[in-house]
Amino acid sequence: MVVPAVLTITGLCKTFVSGKHTLQALQDINLQIQAGRISGLIGPDGAGKTSLMRLVAGLLQPDNGEIQVQGIDVFKSPLQSQSVLSYMPQRFGLYEDLTVQENLDLYADLQGVDQQQRQQRYTELMHMTALAPFTHRLAGRLSGGMKQKLGLACTLVRTPQLLLLDEPTAGVDPVSRRELWSIIERLVKEEGLSVLLSTAYLNEAESCDDVILLHEGCVMGQGTPLSFSQPMQGRSFHISSDTLGKRQLQHRISKLSGVLDAIIEDEQVRVVTHTRQVPDLNEDLAHLADARVEACSPTFEDAFVAMLKKQHQGMSLNIEPTTSQSNLSDDTLIEVRHIKKRFGAFYAVKDISFSVKRGEVFGLLGANGAGKSTTFRMLCGLLPVSSGELMVAGHDLRHASASARSRLGYMAQRFSLYVNLSVMENLNFFASAYGLRRAQRTQRIAWAMEVFELGNYANTSSGDLPLGFKQRLAMAAALLHEPDILFLDEPTSGVDPLARREFWERINALAESGVTVLVTTHFMDEANYCDRLVIMADGEVLAQGTPAEMKARFRSDELPTPTMEDAFIGLIEHRQTSMTEVTV
Amino acid sequence: MSPFAKRFMRLRGLIRKESLQILRDPSSIAIAFVMPVVLLLLFGYGVSLDAKDIRLALVVEQPDAQTSSLTSAFHHSTYFKSITFHTIQPAERALVTHVVDGIVWLRSDFSARLLNHGDAPIGVFVNGVDANQARITQGYIQGVWQTWLQAYARQQGHDLAIPVRLEPRIWFNAAVRSTDFLVPGLIALIMTLTGAMLTSMVVAREWERGTMEALMVTPIRIWEITVGKLLPYFILGMGGMLLSVAMALWLFNVPLRGSFLVLSLASALYMMVALGMGLLISTVARSQFVAGQIALVATFLPAFILSGFIFEISSMPAPVQVMTHLIPARYFVAILQTVFMAGDIWPVLLTNAAALLVMMVIFLGLARHKTRKRLD
Amino acid sequence: MALAIKELLAVLKDKKGRIVLIMPPILQLFLFGYAASFDLNDIPVAVYNQDQGADSRELVARVIGSPHFHLYADIDHEQQISSLINNKNVLIVLHLGPNFSANLAKGPGTSAQVIIDGRNSNTALLVQGYLSTIVSDFNVDWAKRNGKPPPLASLKLRAWFNSNMVSRWFIVPGIVGLLTFIITTIVTSLSVAREREAGTFDQLLVTPMRPVEILIGKSFPGVLIGSLEGSFILLMAIYWFDIPLRGSLGALYIGMFLFILSAVGIGLMISSLAVTQQQGMLGAFLFMVPAVILSGFATPIANMPQVVQWLTYADPLRYFLIILRGVFLEGDNSSILMHYYWPMAVIAIVTLSLAAWLFRHRMN
């Protein structure tokens, strides 16, 4: 059966020019999207997803090529094409100072929806998104997940033929993400909608009917999720060991010759091999004797990483732990007792406590707005606490002396080095800010240039670096003075899977050499890299412990091997039911 | 539904949205209402070109009946606050150290020469650093001197033989109050700021928050977005204007000699020009920061200096005079000063209004031409 | 020191920032230098001379021959006066009655009427001043020519420091202060806010640097750029606008340094309070407008109400303008200006310490 195409793109090219720089955002894109399906545009930040979405919506003029929506040329008759599609931009396109109802009314007016049809549609939408109790709340006061659903509702006040969603799930908690997906699936089933959505979460690929993999402005492939992972069959394995720590295990396995990729997944190491061959553990004679190897089914991410690694051949990393200290001693390095943070009448952090031991990788996990960053900033002494106590290496950093601060490294959520200074100038500046003497400074900067492979970019403005290199530079700057404690705020958001792997490898190496690492993330799978973690939601700690402990709590017959995401969702649902019990 | 009804619905939706946003956003209310009040108070009270309490050193080397008749004339004048010296040196020191602004020097032979029908000299030194104030001070001293001369001559029993007496009649502002001309000019300045800054920043805000993107994908037309934005801010700006006029009339007692209707119509026209400038700025500036800066440099400063608000245009160098014709505030200042102080003088009003109309068409036309339903 | 260099690089490498620093000051220098003047030239005059005697013609010739006035029209009907004035065709109408010469010859005197458009009251006052000078010169010459006694007493007017009373001599030194003020405040008012917005300020605060070090680093570009541009405008004032520099340049630079420090302090204080660059900009604007208006730049502080005059004591520009004009025109040296140095030093110390305190305490 041939399904008609709702969207056809042929020979599409787009470059952006800003000053001297030209950026080839999209190169010769050709693709078709079938009606009545969910098509996912998948790729890391900077792959060109948003540009492609905007081109389809008729908001950008291409250099070359053609886009047809339902046979209408988007560039020749933008008004007609816009009348058959709806578009939700990245930040949902909501007016934060209007209420939920007013936002809906506005979009209904703009789309010319009849008064009579309107009421019925509103009821449907409010039911579907569960926003009915909040119609008079200002959109700015909604949580991230609710904003996302309202944004979706606004694009649906009239039934479009093609629905464009630009990163609808970015930074939203897993519960809301699941809800959004079920809404979209229902829409496609019940109303016959065609959906094109973009996402940077690779695991969402599996929920799409059709996947378009975009990388650096090029389509790397299109097909069903299965068509990507199928060729990988027989190349994915789980390896576990009782004697070795999972970080050690991963490090050793990644050195094996047949291994393409090794990451920590839950309590074991996930391995992708170059060919259909069981990894040969005997290569590492001494230590991998007790490791068990099990074949497992390949994922979309396996396929993507394999494709990327094929492209970037020869870029092998050589990260060795500098000194292998006996980590995990018992002295507590970070102690947080009943801290609260209030902004006006709003509590961003409500009474949380935890402690971190020397040499641990400790995670703060939660969705945007859960209070992770606020907690983090209080720990670094950047925000005063409203009440409670906290100690970092025996000091409250807010009042600590310069010498206490010289023991920690800090990497902020967004890239926050000086964008118009070159890589070298940035490193020089931070070296002197941390008070490194001349000889030491030269030596450490040389170290950073070498270890983080920044040599080719020494004189580039750091703002012009590729995203992955920005990340490296930021980390290099935070490590120049060899800190004992490293604070990392959302270090991996938006970077491609390779850069994420590389990043975690470095953190592992640091942890192995005795550095204490405190890290925040909203990627659930990254929690597995932590020794211990707390899960936060709405400013509260939902659970605290090792990843294995957390997952064990949600092991059941239906879910014999729960993932971190399952555990998180379980915790949130548990909290919601207990809250309703209280209110009832 | 007919296309017309749909169009109306879209427009209504936008206008309602914009009005709700204005009501909920304290910053636009602040720009429209608080800023005029603050600026008017500041200028109305802080800026005055009327010299009063000019500090004067009276140097009387030999006091007698003649000198005291002259010094008492200075003592009685409301313009001066005088200190008496007996020698010139301390008075000169007072002038150098800014203790006094001017010196009136009666030498020891003053009375003798006066009584002998001689040409008795009165030395007058003013601090010329502030040339404008110096001239005004000299003018006031001349005034006191003439009055005294007449009175003295009459007292001596003979008429004063001044060949030609200047009889100035200052129309429209007989009391020569600078507030009367500064405050109307200020209204033009305030409206420039509210109109241009408000619209350019509001449009930039939509770009910044990503809502413009969502708007543009709906079937809305560009002119509908334009009207939807202009109308609420037009009303807001006119509200600010009415507030300023009320303050001018009742707080600063500026006369309104023309009709209120003419004032309102002219203001409405100028408001459109200012909004047009704001829209034009917003087509190039996509961030509130840049928009605010451009609005400040491109509209506020010229309106301040080149509009004739304080500085006389006809005295500027010719190339600068040509430039002033490009400044819309120039025409509005002329209208305001005329309507407030002179009345409905049609030739002035019509020519300036025509110029404003042309500018409005140009600005709105350019803004319309430059705005696309696109992001690049 | 590394911070100071980095700060300077950050300001200079930013293209938008560079434009903001260079274009507006030059534009304003010329705009103010040429357009902002209270001196009147070529004021359009209409003459309604009903008398045809030689004396009346001489008086008219003296008025029109003055560089301040030029003849717009000769009129012969009274009714024309109001339309010419109302329509702003002329600023003044000089009216000499039919018996002007006859009355003058007969004695004791006659009158010359002028109608002045009072819509700009300052202009009206100045025009009146110019005219009365012309008329009294005429009177002296006429009396001498006709053998009449001179008036009993006459004024010998002299303006010190600016004998021709050129208002450019007053305005241009003021611009030196005004632009130095604006540039310094803008450079510094964005510096902390920019870093807060980019997140780099957090990065800075977690380093072992002390607030004093951050303060010195942050002040450096403001001080440097402020003094460079200040010196440039100073040169322009001396060589382009030909303003006499009579006092000691050293005294001026002591003042400029203290003034820039206080402007830097204010800018950094605003900047530490602001969370975004936009707020920093707005804050700078909200501070600068009153500070300029109340500084005595265009209108004398003595004319302001007492309460407002008290406010001006907190305005560093007030003192710097006095110093500038004092050094330029009055030939002042540093000992005379001591009175004006110390208030700026106090403002600088207070604002700089507040700014340093705010670095860490303004967080929410």
Side-chain angles (χ1 to χ4, degrees), chain A residues 19 341-343 377 380-384 397-399 401-403 405-412 414-422 425 428-430 432-435 441 461 474 478, chain C residues 1-15 191 194-211 213-214 218 357-364:
Chain A
K341 180 68 203 173
R342 193 165 55 108
F343 295 107
R377 289 166 58 79
C380 299
L382 293 170
L383 268 182
L397 285 182
R398 191 133 178 89
H399 309 290
S401 62
S403 66
R405 261 183 278 141
S406 69
R407 292 182 53 198
L408 62 99
Y410 170 82
M411 188 173 153
R414 289 172 301 151
F415 176 70
S416 58
L417 300 183
Y418 299 95
V419 285
N420 45 22
L421 299 192
S422 73
E425 284 163 343
N428 258 319
F429 169 67
F430 280 102
S432 60
Y434 279 109
R441 186 190 306 182
S461 281
Chain C
M1 207 54 225
L3 182 63
I5 294 168
K6 187 234 62 174
E7 285 294 327
L8 200 63
L9 281 175
V11 172
L12 296 181
K13 279 198 171 184
D14 180 11
K15 194 169 145 221
S191 74
R194 186 195 297 122
E195 291 217 25
R196 269 200 219 283
E197 212 173 62
T200 47
F201 203 65
D202 286 355
Q203 199 75 258
L204 216 58
L205 285 179
V206 295
T207 68
M209 256 187 284
R210 278 173 311 206
E213 295 173 271
I214 301 181
K218 287 271 163 206
W357 185 82
L358 280 169
F359 285 157
R360 196 162 275 283
H361 290 86
R362 159 74 199 188
M363 280 300 157
N364 313 352

Side-chain angles (χ1 to χ4, degrees), chain C residues 48 144 160 228 276 280 353 357:
Chain C
Y48 179 29
K144 209 176 282 167
W160 282 18
L228 281 178
T276 60
S353 357
W357 185 82

Side-chain angles (χ1 to χ4, degrees), chain C residues 322-351:
Chain C
I322 297 176
I323 293 171
L324 276 166
R325 287 165 181 158
V327 171
F328 261 104
L329 303 176
E330 301 173 34
D332 287 348
N333 56 36
S334 51
S335 58
I336 295 180
L337 296 173
M338 207 44 90
H339 281 319
Y340 309 109
Y341 289 150
W342 69 261
M344 292 195 295
V346 170
I347 295 172
I349 291 170
V350 170
T351 51

Side-chain angles (χ1 to χ4, degrees), chain B residues 159-330:
Chain B
D159 256 337
L160 177 70
I162 293 180
V164 177
R165 250 192 329 272
L166 196 63
E167 275 182 20
R169 304 252 165 87
I170 297 182
W171 282 16
F172 313 131
N173 189 358
V176 223
R177 261 168 37 106
S178 65
T179 318
D180 284 6
F181 90 91
L182 285 176
V183 169
L186 200 53
I187 294 178
L189 207 62
I190 289 169
M191 285 179 65
T192 313
L193 261 189
T194 40
M197 210 161 187
L198 217 54
T199 32
S200 62
M201 287 182 69
V202 159
V203 177
R205 185 176 64 189
E206 293 233 8
W207 284 114
E208 259 177 20
R209 296 194 183 164
T211 45
M212 193 57 112
E213 224 178 307
L215 271 193
M216 290 203 158
V217 186
T218 66
I220 195 145
R221 313 280 150 105
I222 281 296
W223 72 264
E224 292 167 353
I225 297 186
T226 314
V227 175
K229 281 247 171 274
L230 285 185
L231 203 64
Y233 285 95
F234 176 77
I235 294 168
L236 191 68
M238 291 305 281
M241 195 281 292
L242 283 180
L243 181 71
S244 312
V245 170
M247 280 179 73
L249 294 183
W250 290 302
L251 193 62
F252 296 108
N253 299 314
V254 177
L256 177 63
R257 303 214 170 88
S259 68
F260 183 72
L261 182 71
V262 171
L263 178 64
S264 310
L265 286 176
S267 305
L269 184 61
Y270 186 67
M271 197 71 223
M272 289 304 292
V273 177
L275 290 173
M277 286 195 284
L279 274 185
L280 198 59
I281 291 171
S282 72
T283 58
V284 280
R286 294 264 161 103
S287 79
Q288 295 190 65
F289 178 65
V290 178
Q293 260 186 340
I294 298 182
L296 212 60
V297 173
T299 66
F300 183 76
L301 276 177
F304 190 86
I305 301 167
L306 299 177
S307 65
F309 158 53
I310 293 186
F311 305 108
E312 199 63 44
I313 292 176
S314 58
S315 300
M316 294 174 186
V320 181
Q321 285 197 39
V322 173
M323 262 170 68
T324 62
H325 285 279
L326 302 174
I327 312 292
R330 176 209 160 118

Side-chain angles (χ1 to χ4, degrees), chain A residues 337-380:
Chain A
R337 264 183 253 125
H338 304 291
I339 58 167
K340 289 181 184 166
K341 180 68 203 173
R342 193 165 55 108
F343 295 107
F346 166 71
Y347 276 92
V349 170
K350 308 167 192 162
D351 192 19
I352 67 170
S353 307
F354 59 84
S355 61
V356 182
K357 295 197 185 75
R358 187 181 297 279
E360 261 187 328
V361 177
F362 191 87
L364 289 175
L365 196 67
N368 286 357
K372 307 189 296 290
S373 285
T374 309
T375 309
F376 191 82
R377 289 166 58 79
M378 286 192 287
L379 280 172
C380 299

